[in-house]
Amino acid sequence: GKVIFSGIQPTGVPHLGNYLGALSNWVKLQRNAAPEDDLVFSIVGWHALTLPQDPKTLASSRSDLLATLLAIGIDPNRSVVFHQDDNQDHTELAWLLSCLTPVGKLRRMTTWKSRLATSRNANDESEVDESLLNTGLFTYPVLQAADILAYRATHVPVGEDQTQHLELSRDLADIFNRTFKSKTLMFPLPCQLNTPSRRILSLKDPTSKMSKSSPDIQSRILLTDSATQIRAKIRAAVTDSVVGITFDPVGRPGTANLLTILAACTDEEAADVARRYEAKGHGHLKADVVDALEEMIKGPRDAFERLRHESAYLSQVAKDGAEKAKARSNITLREVRTRVGLI
Ligand code: TYM
């Protein structure tokens, strides 16, 4: 069977990009999985710590994210749902993999390069300053590879911003396989499962992706947003002044983003949706996006409001999930330790 693994950082309520780009696909995969397939979904607290987090906020985000995953339809009786930080196997494997990871590979990661680009030397603006960035941010992709390989995952459903991290995970799996060769392959090479709806862009700056880290909360729709908030944000979304609607991601990114969102809600192709709006205006398109979003978000939002206060239930789910996760990763780690000679 397949082993499907994915993760999400507990850095606040998931937004539409997380949902359409990844989480909705987790639910779909769970629904369509064969009985012998294994699904493992992780809330990756250690990854969140690569950027400064307020401890109280992190603790509540961590628990709220579990409630959100259950609210969107992840079934803890079918899928393993757990907190990464409850399973030390990830950090142990990350260490072993880091000993096989050339520094140069990590320097080439675009996420690292974009962090570097924002940390200019105070005295010489043209020079980037590595001393301002922490090591965790640098080795972040190694921990992500460990998350995936600890379960010998075969399929990883993520948004396309994770492509380079997935490439590194395959690289490290391959390096391990070749360095510690044995009759059987230690790690399958995990393949990326892209969500059809692809990249969701910021509502305020449609040249960048919708992200949790943007200071402008109007730039993203949260899975907990009320109908009123959804309407206000979509109404204020940046588009263009071209008459009529066409799907042109390069020339008209704001309009294309609304079409992508609507298409994802109704499970269609954005270009097909665009054809229906050819002779219509942005007002009409936006009104329909608002309705489609409210229809999609309503169920999860209500379920989340119910679940988030059931702390005893959430703790039990987390505890069971951690046990199931460890039962799987322990097998991998035992084999890994034997192969490297730590036995
Ligand atoms: P994170 O927490 O930033 O995002 C979770 C998922 O949401 C997707 N995503 C998007 N998709 C489309 N449009 C967007 N605007 C958008 N923003 C985010 C991401 O691609 C991701 O699938 N490094 C990962 C977490 C991680 C992980 C893993 C994932 C840690 N270990 C192992 C898979 C396997 C991250 O930062 O995701």
Side-chain angles (χ1 to χ4, degrees), residues 41-317:
F41 299 119
S42 186
I43 295 165
V44 294
W46 284 323
H47 280 110
L49 287 179
T50 57
L51 294 177
Q53 305 289 343
D54 169 62
K56 279 212 183 78
T57 312
L58 178 60
S60 68
S61 295
R62 185 177 175 274
S63 147
D64 278 357
L65 187 50
L66 179 58
T68 308
L69 296 183
L70 303 178
I72 63 167
I74 298 297
D75 173 5
N77 293 314
R78 176 63 185 94
S79 301
V80 179
V81 200
F82 73 106
H83 292 290
Q84 173 197 46
D85 42 277
D86 279 338
N87 185 358
Q88 315 289 331
D89 284 346
H90 294 232
T91 38
E92 181 177 348
L93 185 55
W95 176 260
L96 297 174
L97 292 175
S98 78
C99 296
L100 297 172
T101 312
V103 170
K105 265 193 207 300
L106 297 182
R107 274 199 215 290
R108 285 193 292 277
M109 292 286 129
T110 52
T111 38
W112 171 252
K113 286 198 285 190
S114 66
R115 293 286 174 207
L116 259 188
T118 59
S119 82
R120 301 275 165 199
N121 186 313
N123 302 319
D124 178 1
E125 275 287 309
S126 69
E127 204 161 281
V128 292
D129 190 353
E130 280 192 355
S131 67
L132 297 172
L133 299 174
N134 71 62
T135 309
L137 211 49
F138 186 61
T139 57
Y140 179 114
V142 181
L143 179 59
Q144 180 161 353
D147 296 339
I148 296 167
L149 300 181
Y151 303 90
R152 300 201 224 208
T154 56
H155 295 80
V156 184
V158 283
E160 59 175 30
D161 59 328
Q162 297 297 315
T163 300
Q164 210 187 15
H165 290 162
L166 261 289
E167 271 164 23
L168 181 79
S169 301
R170 280 192 293 277
D171 251 14
L172 295 184
D174 183 53
I175 292 174
F176 190 101
N177 287 344
R178 285 187 289 106
T179 309
F180 303 104
K181 236 200 302 283
S182 165
K183 278 187 289 296
T184 55
L185 217 55
M186 183 64 222
F187 297 117
L189 303 189
C191 75
Q192 177 166 353
L193 290 180
N194 262 320
T195 314
S197 63
R198 300 159 59 90
R199 228 159 82 98
I200 304 299
L201 305 173
S202 158
L203 298 175
K204 285 304 195 179
D205 169 19
T207 57
S208 64
K209 70 171 182 177
M210 185 176 285
S211 90
K212 287 178 198 164
S213 52
S214 163
D216 186 354
I217 55 158
Q218 294 289 104
S219 70
R220 56 183 171 271
I221 303 250
L222 302 180
L223 284 185
T224 48
D225 277 351
S226 67
T228 316
Q229 285 168 315
I230 294 173
R231 189 173 314 113
K233 288 178 183 179
I234 293 297
R235 272 204 188 141
V238 170
T239 51
D240 52 57
S241 50
V242 180
V243 178
I245 301 293
T246 51
F247 184 63
D248 176 4
V250 178
R252 308 181 68 186
T255 304
N257 193 36
L258 291 178
L259 289 165
T260 302
I261 292 171
L262 185 53
C265 293
T266 55
D267 230 342
E268 290 173 282
E269 291 294 324
D272 294 336
V273 173
R275 238 160 275 136
R276 287 206 302 276
Y277 290 87
E278 241 162 21
K280 294 170 183 162
H282 284 106
H284 198 129
L285 174 62
K286 284 184 170 182
D288 288 355
V289 171
V290 170
D291 290 345
L293 281 177
E294 171 59 13
E295 189 56 34
M296 182 179 76
I297 286 177
K298 175 170 76 193
R301 181 180 60 214
D302 295 348
F304 171 73
E305 284 307 331
R306 266 197 322 277
L307 281 162
R308 68 183 308 187
H309 305 294
E310 295 183 24
S311 47
Y313 173 66
L314 292 174
S315 305
Q316 191 59 48
V317 170

Side-chain angles (χ1 to χ4, degrees), residues 10-31:
T11 42
V13 179
H15 54 68
L16 201 57
N18 299 132
Y19 185 66
L20 295 178
L23 300 181
S24 62
N25 205 26
W26 297 8
V27 180
K28 210 183 234 171
L29 288 163
Q30 178 185 262
R31 198 181 315 119

